[in-house]
Amino acid sequence: MRYLLAFAMCFLCALTSALPAAAFEVISVPEDVNAINLRAGVDVFPGENGRIQLSTAPSEDGIIRRIEVLASEDGTNPKWALFALRNDTDVQLERLLVAPFFRLPGSGVIAPDLGAERVSVITVSQGLRPERTSDAEADVFGITLDPGATVTFIAELSEGSLPELYLWKPDAYRDYVNSFTLFRGTVLGVASLAALFLTIMFVVKGRGVFPATAAFAWAVLIYLLIDFGIMGRLLGIGNGSMQPFRAAAEAGLATTLFGFLFIYLNLHRWHLRFVHLAMALAGVFLILFGVAFFQPAIAATIARVVLVLLGLTGLFLVVLLALRGYDRAVLLVPTWIIYLAWLFYGWMVVTGQVSNDIAQPAVAGGLMLIVMLIGFTAVQHAFSEGQVSVGTLSEVERRAMALTGSGDFVFDWNIDRDRVNVSEELSQRLGERRGALRGAIKRWLDRIHPEDRDKFRAALDTLVEMRRGKVNTDVRIANQDGSHRWFRMRVKPVLGGDGQVTRIVGTLQDISDERAARERLLHDSVTDSLTGLPNKELFLDRLDRALVRSRTNGGSKPAVFLIDIDKFAELNERVGLTASDSVLLAASRRIARVLRPLDTVSRINSDQFAVILSAEHGVGKIAEVAEQIRKALRAPFNFGDRDLTMTVSIGITIFDNSSATALDVLRDAELAMYYAKRHGGDRIEAYRASARSITAYSRATEEDLARALRQGELQVEFQPIMDIHTNQIAGAEALMRWNHATRGSVSPDEFIPLAERTGHITKIGRLAFEQAANQAESWRRAFPLSDEFFVSVNLSPRQLATENMLSDMKSLVSQHMQVIKHLKLEVTESQVMSNPEHAAYVLQSLKSMGLRLALDDFGTGYSSLSYLHRFPFDTVKIPAPFVQISEQAGLAHTQVPIMRAVISLAAELSMMVIAEGAETDDEVERLRHLNCRHAQGFAFGAAMTGDEFRRRLASQFT
C-alpha cells in the first residue's frame, strides 16, 4: 500500500510539472483608470491535443486551482493567451477586453502583421463568462470583476498571436471610438473630393499628369477605406480575409506614386532607358498585386520598401532637375520634403517607436496631406503653363490669345491724345527699357529709318484722311544700339461716333530674319557660293552694260578673258574635292589681285573664270595683264606639306563695236580658250574665226556621248590577266571602249573626262558592270571556271563619291548573284585617300555584298603602305611605270626593291598582286623572279571583245 501511494504521488508531481504554473503576473485593475494595456502581462502558450491545463493565479484566499480548457472546435489545436486580473476595490467592476484586429504601430516593415481576428473565446477561472460585444475593428468581450476577486483568463487565439490587448471602461471605449469617427469622416471626405476633382480634370483636359495624380488619390482613398474598416463592411468580408486587400492597397500606393513621379517629371523625355525601366517596374507592380492575394506579408514588405526607395530616388531626381532649372521639379520640392517626413514618421510607427493612440490616424492624415499637395502641384503647374482653361472664351479673348500665339506686337495710336502704345515685348526686342516706346507719334518718326519715314508718315496720313482701308508695308525701326530691324506693319483706322478716325490699331511683325534670308538668296543667285565672285548671270549682265557703254561716243572697248585650268579633272582625282576647292578659292584671289577696281572677275564654271577688262585700252597692256594672270596661277599652291602646280589656258577677245551680244562675246573668248587648249594648254590665245570649229567639235562630242549611250556604241572589252607561273588566264580587266559611228574608236582619255563633266559617268559605270557580269555569266556556263577566276571593273572618282552609289550596286548585285564571286571592283589609290573615312565605309559596304576589291595604281599618289590594313582590299595592282623599267634608265636599282617590298607586304597580308603594263619578255621574267604571280599587258594581248576572250578561254580549257 505504501508503494502504491508513492507511485501516485510521483505521477501527480509529473503531471502538475507539465502544466503552466501560476508564474504570470497578476494585474491589478484600478477603478479610476479608463484603459490599461495588458499586453505585458499576457503569456501565450501552445495547446496540446486541442486543450490546455494550467494552474490559476492564487485567489483572494490563496487557493491555486488546476483547470483544463478545451478548444471551442473539435480537431483544432489553437494557442492560448493567459493573464490574471485582480479587483482590489470594494465595488464590482465592469470592463471591456479589447483585442484590435489591426494596429499599424509595431506592425513591422519585414513580413508585417496585416491584421486578423484575434480571440475566439475567453474562459475565466471564476465568475461570469465574458460576453462578446459586436465591434468592427476589434474582438471585444465584456467582463465583470467582483470586489477583491482574482480571476485568471484563458483566451483561445484565432491566429496564434495577440499583438495588442486592452482593458477599457465601457463608456470610455465608446467615447474613444466616437472621437475618431469625425476625423475619419473628414479625411475620407477630403480624399473623395480630391480623387473626384483630379478625375474630372483628367476628363476635361486629358493631360497625362492628371490621370497619374488621380490614380494616386484613388489609391489613397481605397487604403483609407480599408484602414478604417469600411471596405470590409462594404464588401461583406470578415476581418480575417482583409490581409490581401490591405497588402494590395499598399502596393497600389507604391505603384501610383511611381507613376505620378515618372509622368510628372517627364522622365521618358530625358532618356529612352527610363522608359524601359518604367515598363519593367510596371510589370513588377502588376505581379505584386497578384502576390498580395497569395502571400500578403511578402507583398506588403515589397510595397513598403518600394515607398522608401521612391522617396530616396525621387529626392535625387527632384533636386537634380530643380538645380537644372526644370520648373516641374522646383514645384515638387516642398511636396517631396513632406513626403520624406511622412516616411520617417511612418517608419517610427511601424517599428513601434511611436505607438500611442493617434499614431495610426496621424499616418492616415499625413497621407491625405500628401495627396492634396500633389494635386495642388499638378494643378498649379497646369495653370502656369496655360494647360487649363475654365469656361468658354469670348471672341475678344480668342483674338487676344491668337495674337499672343502669333508673336506679333500690338501697335495702337490714339489720335485724340496723340499717344502710341505698343507691346512691352517690342521694347525687349529692340533692347529698350519698359515704356520707352510709348509717347507721341513724333517720337516714333525719329525711330523710323530715314528712308522709310516718308512712307510711314504718308501711310498713316492716308488712313486718317480716307477714314477707311488698311496699310500693309515694311519699315525699319531703330534698335537701342543704333542698328535697325525690319518690321511688317499692318494697321487700319478705328472710327468714333462722329465718323472721324480716333485711333489706328494693328500689328508689327518682326521680319528681320526673313529679309536677311531674302537678301542672302538674292546674293547667292548672282554670286558663286565658293569664291564669292559674280556668277555667269551677273557676269553677262555686267558685260552687257559694258557693251552698251562702249557703243556710246568715246566709250572704252572691254576685253574679255576666259581662263580655264588645265587638267583640272586629274587634279581633282589626285588631291580630292576639298583640296580642289581650296585651289579654286586661291586662284580667284590671285586673279583679283592682278585686276583694277573697274575690272570684273567671275567664276562661270567649275574650273573656268571670266574677266571683263575695262581699265586698259591698249592691246599690249591687255596682253600684259593676261600674262600676269597666267604667271600668278603658275606659282605653286601650298597645300599642307605639299606644293601643287597648275597651268591655265586663256582666251582673249576684244569687243569691236559690232552687234554681238554679251553671250556672243563670251563665246568668242571661249573659242580662243579652246584653241589654246588644242595647242597643249598653258598659253594665251586671242580670238580668231578658225577657233569656232573647235567649240563646235566639243559640243558635238557631248551630244555624241549621250547618243552613244542610247544607241549602244559603248562596249566593254577584256584584257587578259595571266598567271605567269602557269601561263594560264587568271582573269580579265573590263575596259570601256567607244566605237564612234563616224570617227571610229574614241580614246578613253578623251571620253571619260567628258563623261565626268557631263554627269554621264554613272551611267557608263553601271553599263560596264552589267556587260562584265553578263559576259562572266556566259563564260561560267560554258567553261568550268575556278572560284579564283575574276573580272575587274573600274570605278571612277565621281562614282565613288555619289550618294546613290551603294543603292545602285545593291540593285546590280541582286541581278547577278550567280557571278558576284567572280567580279572585282578597281579603285585608284588617289580616289581612296582623297576621303579615307568615306572610302572605308563605302568599300566595306561593297565587300559585304560579296564583291572583291582591288587597289589600282598603288604607290603613285601616296606612300600609303600603312593604310592597307584600313581598307578591305584583296588585290593590289602595281602600276606600269614600276614594271616598265629598262636597265639603261638607271632606275632599276631603286624600283625593283620597291616592287619586291610591295609583293612581300601583299603576301604577308594574303593579298593578290597584279603587275600592269608588262610588254616584253624581260619584264615578265623580272616579275617571275620577284615572285609576282599575276600580270597583264601587251605581252599577253591587248583588250579584246567578249567573243575573242571566249575563244582564248576555250583554247585554254581544251
Side-chain angles (χ1 to χ4, degrees):
M1 186 65 181
R2 185 172 55 250
Y3 295 106
L4 183 60
L5 181 60
F7 176 77
M9 291 293 293
C10 292
F11 177 77
L12 182 60
C13 290
L15 180 62
T16 56
S17 64
L19 298 177
F24 42 80
E25 180 183 357
V26 177
I27 301 172
S28 179
V29 180
E31 182 181 4
D32 54 350
V33 176
N34 290 332
I36 301 175
N37 188 347
L38 303 179
R39 187 61 188 87
V42 176
D43 294 324
V44 177
F45 295 97
E48 183 179 352
N49 298 324
R51 66 184 64 195
I52 185 171
Q53 296 176 344
L54 72 156
S55 299
T56 65
S59 62
E60 59 277 8
D61 53 5
I63 298 175
I64 298 176
R65 297 180 178 84
R66 287 186 291 275
I67 62 174
E68 180 181 89
V69 181
L70 301 178
S72 59
E73 295 184 9
D74 295 337
T76 61
N77 187 30
K79 290 185 177 181
W80 306 84
L82 310 180
F83 58 96
L85 301 178
R86 181 170 61 243
N87 182 3
D88 292 328
T89 67
D90 55 359
V91 296
Q92 190 178 57
L93 299 179
E94 300 288 340
R95 294 292 187 265
L96 295 178
L97 284 172
V98 179
F101 296 141
F102 172 72
R103 287 275 292 173
L104 185 62
S107 60
V109 177
I110 307 301
D113 179 13
L114 297 177
E117 294 181 351
R118 303 301 186 182
V119 179
S120 299
V121 178
I122 295 180
T123 304
V124 294
S125 60
Q126 62 175 319
L128 299 176
R129 184 183 184 89
E131 296 182 1
R132 179 184 291 273
T133 301
S134 177
D135 193 281
E137 300 180 23
D139 287 320
V140 180
F141 294 86
I143 64 172
T144 301
L145 296 177
D146 294 329
T150 299
V151 183
T152 300
F153 293 83
I154 305 95
E156 180 183 337
L157 302 183
S158 300
E159 296 290 337
S161 64
L162 188 63
E164 298 287 342
L165 183 64
Y166 298 92
L167 186 67
W168 280 89
K169 282 185 176 182
D171 293 339
Y173 180 69
R174 284 192 292 269
D175 293 340
Y176 170 78
V177 173
N178 293 335
S179 65
F180 287 105
T181 302
L182 179 60
F183 169 77
R184 292 178 175 179
T186 303
V187 171
L188 288 176
V190 174
S192 303
L193 290 175
L196 287 174
F197 172 74
L198 294 172
T199 304
I200 293 172
M201 294 296 293
F202 163 58
V203 173
V204 172
K205 290 303 298 177
R207 304 294 299 184
V209 69
F210 287 123
T213 311
F216 180 65
W218 284 108
V220 170
L221 178 61
I222 294 173
Y223 174 83
L224 295 177
L225 289 173
I226 293 175
D227 187 58
F228 294 165
I230 299 175
M231 183 63 74
R233 281 178 281 177
L234 292 176
L235 300 178
I237 299 174
N239 290 284
S241 303
M242 289 303 296
Q243 295 184 15
F245 294 94
R246 193 179 302 277
E250 294 186 5
L253 291 178
T255 303
T256 53
L257 184 61
F258 168 76
F260 165 78
L261 186 66
F262 184 85
I263 295 175
Y264 179 78
L265 294 180
N266 280 331
L267 296 182
H268 61 282
R269 297 183 182 177
W270 298 99
H271 203 289
L272 182 61
R273 292 183 179 177
F274 286 168
V275 178
H276 297 160
L277 178 61
M279 295 176 63
L281 290 177
V284 171
F285 287 138
L286 290 177
I287 296 174
L288 190 61
F289 281 105
V291 173
F293 288 91
F294 296 96
Q295 294 291 336
I298 296 177
T301 300
I302 297 174
R304 295 184 180 185
V305 171
V306 168
L307 286 173
V308 176
L309 294 178
L310 281 176
L312 299 177
T313 306
L315 177 65
F316 171 76
L317 291 174
V318 168
V319 172
L320 177 64
L321 298 179
L323 292 177
R324 295 185 177 183
Y326 189 40
D327 293 341
R328 293 195 174 192
V330 174
L331 292 174
L332 196 59
V333 169
T335 302
W336 213 255
I337 292 175
I338 293 177
Y339 173 65
L340 292 175
W342 178 82
L343 279 179
F344 178 73
Y345 180 76
W347 172 77
M348 295 182 67
V349 171
V350 298
T351 55
Q353 300 181 52
V354 176
S355 59
N356 52 50
D357 292 339
I358 64 171
Q360 188 167 340
V363 171
L367 194 58
M368 190 59 250
L369 177 61
I370 293 173
V371 171
M372 295 178 63
L373 288 175
I374 288 178
F376 290 154
T377 302
V379 173
Q380 179 185 3
H381 184 76
F383 274 105
S384 65
E385 289 189 348
Q387 297 174 351
V388 177
S389 59
V390 180
T392 59
L393 297 175
S394 66
E395 185 64 22
V396 175
E397 291 173 328
R398 189 174 291 108
R399 291 188 179 186
M401 293 181 63
L403 181 61
T404 302
S406 67
D408 293 352
F409 308 107
V410 175
F411 176 86
D412 178 17
W413 177 29
N414 189 324
I415 298 176
D416 295 337
R417 299 175 55 192
D418 189 21
R419 181 175 178 82
V420 175
N421 288 284
V422 294
S423 302
E424 292 297 339
E425 292 81 359
L426 180 59
S427 301
Q428 299 176 7
R429 183 67 57 89
L430 298 177
E432 294 284 1
R433 67 183 187 279
R434 295 174 63 89
L437 300 179
R438 297 176 182 175
I441 193 66
K442 185 181 182 306
R443 293 181 58 189
W444 259 83
L445 282 174
D446 295 338
R447 299 195 68 95
I448 302 297
H449 193 279
E451 297 178 3
D452 299 333
R453 287 174 185 171
D454 292 339
K455 177 175 61 175
F456 180 78
R457 184 188 297 109
L460 297 184
D461 291 343
T462 301
L463 291 177
V464 174
E465 293 176 4
M466 299 297 294
R467 292 179 291 179
R468 57 186 174 84
K470 59 183 178 180
V471 170
N472 188 347
T473 186
D474 296 345
V475 295
R476 283 164 287 183
I477 303 177
N479 284 306
Q480 192 272 341
D481 59 1
S483 61
H484 288 78
R485 297 186 70 88
W486 279 97
F487 289 87
R488 179 159 297 151
M489 184 175 69
R490 300 186 183 95
V491 294
K492 61 186 301 184
V494 177
L495 303 181
D498 56 356
Q500 298 299 317
V501 178
T502 59
R503 61 200 318 142
I504 293 177
V505 180
T507 61
L508 293 170
Q509 180 185 8
D510 190 347
I511 59 170
S512 300
D513 294 339
E514 178 184 333
R515 295 286 296 212
R518 185 189 306 174
E519 291 174 1
R520 283 196 300 270
L521 289 175
L522 290 175
H523 179 269
D524 294 343
S525 65
V526 294
T527 58
D528 176 59
S529 59
L530 175 64
T531 62
L533 297 175
N535 61 11
K536 186 175 182 179
E537 287 72 17
L538 183 57
F539 176 83
L540 291 174
D541 180 74
R542 293 184 178 179
L543 179 58
D544 188 61
R545 293 174 182 269
L547 298 182
V548 171
R549 288 194 300 271
S550 69
R551 294 189 179 101
T552 61
N553 294 331
S556 61
K557 299 178 181 180
V560 177
F561 299 172
L562 188 65
I563 306 166
D564 185 90
I565 300 176
D566 297 328
K567 299 181 180 179
F568 184 74
E570 296 180 7
L571 177 68
N572 228 347
E573 180 179 347
R574 189 167 73 251
V575 302
L577 297 177
T578 304
S580 299
D581 289 343
S582 301
V583 170
L584 290 173
L585 184 59
S588 67
R589 293 174 178 172
R590 291 186 182 184
I591 297 172
R593 282 198 293 266
V594 175
L595 303 180
R596 296 188 179 183
L598 295 179
D599 301 330
T600 298
V601 58
S602 168
R603 184 188 178 202
I604 63 173
N605 206 339
S606 62
D607 58 345
Q608 291 182 350
F609 298 89
V611 173
I612 303 174
L613 206 63
S614 302
E616 303 296 345
H617 302 283
V619 175
K621 293 293 292 182
I622 293 174
E624 182 180 344
V625 173
E627 182 63 23
Q628 290 177 357
I629 293 175
R630 189 181 72 85
K631 289 182 178 179
L633 296 178
R634 278 182 60 88
F637 292 87
N638 181 264
F639 186 73
D641 57 350
R642 307 178 58 192
D643 287 336
L644 303 178
T645 304
M646 67 181 185
T647 61
V648 295
S649 299
I650 303 177
I652 304 176
T653 183
I654 302 176
F655 182 60
D656 55 0
N657 282 340
S658 64
S659 59
T661 64
L663 190 60
D664 294 333
V665 174
L666 180 61
R667 186 177 294 117
D668 290 343
E670 185 181 12
L671 295 176
M673 182 271 295
Y674 278 119
Y675 190 81
K677 278 190 170 296
R678 187 177 182 184
H679 287 80
D682 192 21
R683 57 189 294 127
I684 303 171
E685 290 290 341
Y687 166 72
R688 63 191 70 185
S690 60
R692 289 189 179 276
S693 62
I694 299 175
T695 185
Y697 171 79
S698 176
R699 288 197 300 273
T701 302
E702 295 178 9
E703 297 170 357
D704 286 350
L705 180 59
R707 179 188 52 78
L709 283 170
R710 293 193 302 269
Q711 298 183 3
E713 294 181 1
L714 294 169
Q715 295 293 327
V716 168
E717 294 186 356
F718 301 90
Q719 185 177 34
I721 298 176
M722 303 296 295
D723 185 337
I724 60 178
H725 289 181
T726 63
N727 291 325
Q728 299 292 315
I729 297 176
E733 181 176 358
L735 303 172
M736 183 61 73
R737 296 293 184 259
W738 182 7
N739 187 18
H740 195 277
T742 57
R743 295 175 55 199
S745 179
V746 180
S747 170
D749 294 336
E750 183 176 345
F751 73 82
I752 293 298
L754 176 63
E756 291 181 341
R757 289 198 302 271
T758 58
H760 292 310
I761 191 63
T762 303
K763 296 180 181 178
I764 292 177
R766 185 182 181 93
L767 181 64
F769 189 92
E770 289 181 337
Q771 292 184 5
N774 291 333
Q775 286 288 354
E777 176 64 20
S778 66
W779 298 336
R780 186 186 68 84
R781 294 178 179 177
F783 308 109
L785 299 177
S786 67
D787 292 341
E788 300 301 322
F789 182 84
F790 62 91
V791 178
S792 295
V793 183
N794 291 282
L795 284 179
S796 74
R798 294 291 178 89
Q799 279 182 279
L800 194 63
T802 55
E803 296 180 356
N804 57 351
M805 188 263 186
L806 289 177
S807 59
D808 288 344
M809 291 305 302
K810 287 180 181 179
S811 174
L812 292 171
V813 167
S814 64
Q815 298 173 18
H816 303 282
M817 290 299 297
Q818 298 295 328
V819 293
I820 288 303
K821 63 181 179 180
H822 296 300
L823 295 178
K824 183 179 295 186
L825 298 180
E826 291 189 14
V827 294
T828 63
E829 185 181 17
S830 58
Q831 289 176 249
V832 173
M833 298 311 300
S834 63
N835 190 346
E837 299 302 328
H838 175 72
Y841 168 73
V842 173
L843 293 176
Q844 190 61 49
S845 300
L846 295 173
K847 187 75 173 179
S848 64
M849 298 179 193
L851 294 165
R852 288 189 272 182
L853 301 173
L855 180 62
D856 199 4
D857 295 340
F858 179 73
T860 58
Y862 296 80
S863 298
S864 55
L865 295 175
S866 61
Y867 284 94
L868 280 178
H869 71 280
R870 294 186 57 189
F871 304 106
F873 293 111
D874 43 49
T875 302
V876 173
K877 301 191 75 172
I878 302 176
F882 286 91
V883 178
Q884 299 169 359
I885 300 286
S886 63
E887 296 297 333
Q888 290 78 10
L891 298 176
H893 68 283
T894 58
Q895 300 289 54
V896 169
I898 292 177
M899 285 196 296
R900 181 181 292 110
V902 172
I903 295 169
S904 176
L905 175 64
E908 290 292 333
L909 297 176
S910 301
M911 300 173 69
M912 177 188 291
V913 178
I914 301 175
E916 295 182 296
E919 298 182 351
T920 65
D921 292 340
D922 291 339
E923 293 169 354
V924 174
E925 185 59 32
R926 185 188 301 116
L927 293 172
R928 188 179 290 113
H929 178 71
L930 292 173
N931 201 27
C932 179
R933 189 177 184 88
H934 299 90
Q936 69 181 98
F938 290 112
F940 311 108
M944 60 192 71
T945 64
D947 292 338
E948 293 174 344
F949 194 88
R950 180 189 181 94
R951 288 193 288 271
R952 284 281 299 268
L953 283 176
S955 63
Q956 174 174 305
F957 281 105
T958 56

